[in-house]
């Protein structure tokens, strides 16, 4: 796993405290959007479609700190727009590091190398560089040639300066699995700490609506991507990766990744545009959470398997029960199943399909013959 031990310990302690206190809904990652402005116009993104007057605005550092303190999540992701366009982004980062929050500053890296002297390496700060595949695929996804090379050079520069660097890759329909597998190798060679991958969500305002994946397409594609692991490091829970392949069932926890931006607290999740609340407490208490997630029947959620909804579910499953923790330990130590053969239809919730004990001695056995125990209290 491409996650530092100190960060895993902080998250585990946080989750256990919440569960021991009887709190069922709690945030894990705050999505802090200090601006929507960007220096790219990606076809799959719905953020820069806001009016010009909105794109010119940005949150103040004080507004960012108030939201972080109000939410209390141990991890803060700073997407955008492009956060490095914010005139006070280094001040925001310094304030969050002082609060001992683990920060993922999401960037397309076009300005990253020039901005590095403004930041100080810290275990609390990671630059999360958006890399949507090999050079040709990445440049096509962001609708500008040359961006892959700029980002790769910036990653090397940041790693050389001692910064934590991860990548964030959104997968769309039509990609060639073998090309993405080679891309994972390339990212490892650049020295990134870990990679985050996710299927794209169908932003209503995105110009390109033709390349988002349906649910079974996601499972099929991610099996082709991940059933051939080459010692890649992912900055994600092993259970979430198994969920993407259809080997593990999770339900969405949209409250796990609340979003604060120019308009307030977005409801119900980062990916929808259904209004805002004035406070985090109002968001948590007034939202009808049962109306969201695949199990709810909400058509907007039917095909979503995005990390922002399901990574918190995987973390809660990992640290919320002994069986969930044991499943994660097995995946971490033994690796994922060598080949996914479970049906693409949803398996039993909390049930992981993988090798029986004898599979350690007999690699010819099918990896899905015996399930691990069910996660309890889900």
């Amino acid at each position: 796993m491409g996650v530092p031990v100190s960060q895993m310990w902080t998250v585990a302690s946080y989750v256990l405290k919440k569960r021991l206190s009887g709190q069922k809904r709690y945030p894990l990652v705050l999505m802090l959007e200090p601006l929507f402005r960007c220096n790219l116009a990606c076809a799959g993104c719905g953020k820069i479609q806001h009016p010009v007057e909105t794109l010119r605005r940005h949150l103040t550092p004080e507004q960012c700190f108030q939201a972080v303190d109000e939410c209390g999540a141990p991890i803060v992701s700073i997407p955008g727009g492009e956060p490095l366009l914010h005139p006070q982004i280094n001040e925001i980062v310094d304030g969050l590091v002082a609060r001992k929050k683990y920060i993922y500053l999401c960037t397309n890296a076009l300005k990253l190398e020039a901005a590095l002297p403004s930041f100080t390496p810290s275990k609390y700060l990671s630059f999360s560089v958006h890399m949507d595949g090999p050079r040709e695929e990445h440049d096509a996804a962001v609708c500008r040639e040359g961006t892959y090379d700029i980002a790769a050079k910036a990653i090397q520069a940041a790693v050389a300066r001692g910064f934590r660097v991860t990548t964030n890759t959104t997968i769309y329909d039509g990609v060639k699995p073998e090309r993405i597998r080679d891309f994972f190798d390339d990212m490892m060679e650049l020295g990134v700490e870990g990679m985050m991958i996710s299927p794209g969500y169908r932003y209503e305002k995105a110009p390109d609506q033709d390349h988002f994946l349906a649910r079974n397409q996601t499972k099929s594609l991610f099996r082709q991507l991940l059933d051939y692991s080459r010692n890649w490091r992912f900055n994600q829970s092993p259970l979430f990766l198994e969920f993407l392949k259809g080997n593990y069932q999770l339900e969405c926890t949209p409250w796990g990744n609340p979003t604060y931006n120019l308009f307030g607290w977005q409801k119900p999740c980062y990916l929808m545009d259904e209004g805002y609340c004035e406070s985090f407490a109002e968001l948590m208490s007034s939202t009808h959470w049962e109306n969201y997630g695949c199990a709810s029947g909400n058509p907007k959620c039917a095909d979503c398997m995005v990390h922002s909804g399901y990574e918190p579910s995987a973390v809660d499953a990992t640290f919320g029960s002994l069986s969930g923790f044991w499943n994660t330990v097995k995946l971490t130590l033994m690796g994922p199943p060598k080949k996914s053969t479970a049906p693409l239809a949803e398996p039993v919730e909390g049930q992981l399909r993988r090798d029986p004990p004898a599979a350690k001695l007999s690699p010819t056995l099918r990896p899905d013959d015996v399930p691990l125990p069910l996660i309890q209290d889900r």
Side-chain angles (χ1 to χ4, degrees):
M1 291 179 63
V3 182
V5 173
S6 62
Q7 182 174 327
M8 287 192 288
W9 176 255
T10 297
V11 171
S13 301
Y14 172 82
V15 171
L16 289 173
K17 287 178 181 178
K18 292 295 184 181
R19 292 183 67 90
L20 289 173
S21 68
Q23 188 171 341
K24 294 183 178 180
R25 297 188 180 123
Y26 49 85
L28 183 68
V29 179
L30 169 60
M31 308 291 283
L32 179 65
E33 296 179 308
L35 79 175
F36 294 140
R37 188 166 67 255
C38 190
N39 47 8
L40 288 175
C42 304
C45 178
K47 293 296 180 182
I48 65 167
Q49 308 304 320
H50 290 282
V52 174
E53 56 270 21
T54 299
L55 296 179
R56 289 174 177 168
R57 295 171 53 198
H58 56 258
L59 295 175
T60 66
E62 291 72 23
Q63 288 174 307
C64 294
F65 301 149
Q66 181 179 347
V68 169
D69 294 342
E70 187 180 354
C71 176
I75 300 174
V76 179
S77 177
I78 307 179
E82 170 51 56
L84 292 179
L85 294 177
H86 194 294
Q88 295 171 286
I89 189 60
N90 57 329
E91 184 178 339
I92 293 171
V93 168
D94 289 344
L96 299 184
V97 168
R99 286 165 167 77
K100 297 184 177 180
K101 301 294 183 180
Y102 285 91
I103 308 155
Y104 286 89
L105 195 158
C106 305
T107 176
N108 56 40
L110 296 185
K111 294 176 64 67
L112 177 58
E113 188 170 3
L116 289 177
S118 300
F119 299 93
T120 302
S122 167
K123 71 176 184 179
Y124 294 109
L125 171 63
S126 176
F127 291 111
S128 178
V129 180
H130 288 264
M131 300 291 285
D132 289 329
R135 181 179 289 103
E136 181 180 345
E137 287 85 341
H138 174 81
D139 288 354
V142 302
C143 305
R144 184 186 298 182
E145 292 185 4
T147 54
Y148 178 96
D149 291 331
I150 294 173
K153 184 171 179 288
I155 289 173
Q156 291 176 309
V159 171
R161 282 177 172 262
F163 287 98
R164 294 178 57 195
V165 182
T166 60
T167 57
N168 185 344
T169 301
T170 303
I171 305 294
Y172 296 97
D173 185 28
V175 302
K176 297 180 179 179
E178 64 276 9
R179 293 272 295 166
I180 301 300
R181 293 195 294 268
D182 290 342
F183 162 75
F184 291 159
D185 291 338
D186 293 339
M187 294 301 100
M188 292 292 96
E189 290 180 6
L190 288 178
V192 301
E193 177 180 284
M195 302 177 290
M196 185 173 74
I197 55 175
S198 179
Y201 178 81
R202 192 181 299 275
Y203 280 110
E204 293 180 1
K205 295 182 179 180
D208 181 4
Q209 293 289 322
D210 297 328
H211 291 88
F212 293 101
L213 294 161
R215 201 172 184 88
N216 284 351
Q217 285 180 301
T218 293
K219 296 175 188 177
S220 177
L221 178 56
F222 277 87
R223 288 182 183 188
Q224 296 177 67
L225 293 177
L226 301 178
D227 278 351
Y228 301 86
S229 177
R230 303 171 184 169
N231 297 317
W232 301 314
R233 295 188 303 274
F234 291 101
N235 189 44
Q236 291 172 295
S237 163
L239 294 185
F240 175 70
L241 297 178
E242 290 304 302
F243 164 73
L244 289 179
K245 296 190 291 182
N247 294 339
Y248 201 88
Q249 174 65 7
L250 295 168
E251 286 301 334
C252 179
T253 51
W255 56 84
N257 274 31
T259 298
Y260 183 79
N261 59 33
L262 296 171
F263 303 125
W265 292 94
Q266 186 172 344
K267 56 180 182 181
C269 81
Y270 172 66
L271 300 166
M272 294 186 183
D273 188 11
E274 297 190 354
Y276 294 84
C277 296
E278 293 186 3
S279 69
F280 178 70
E282 179 189 350
L283 172 71
M284 296 299 290
S285 63
S286 66
T287 304
H288 295 285
W289 299 108
E290 68 277 5
N291 294 336
Y292 301 97
C294 184
S296 71
N298 187 330
K300 291 184 177 181
C301 305
D303 289 322
C304 180
M305 297 179 71
V306 180
H307 66 279
S308 58
Y310 290 94
E311 182 69 52
S313 309
V315 172
D316 182 67
T318 297
F319 299 113
S321 71
L322 289 176
S323 59
F325 182 76
W326 181 238
N327 284 343
T328 301
V329 169
K330 281 194 172 185
L331 287 167
T332 302
L333 297 180
M334 297 168 54
K338 294 180 178 64
K339 184 175 179 60
S340 300
T341 57
L344 291 179
E346 300 296 296
V348 177
E349 181 177 355
Q351 182 169 316
L352 178 65
R353 301 177 63 88
R354 68 156 306 142
D355 299 344
K360 295 180 183 179
L361 302 176
S362 178
T364 60
L365 289 176
R366 293 174 56 185
D368 68 333
D369 288 338
V370 177
L372 289 177
L374 296 178
I375 287 178
Q376 304 297 320
D377 301 323
R378 288 288 295 149

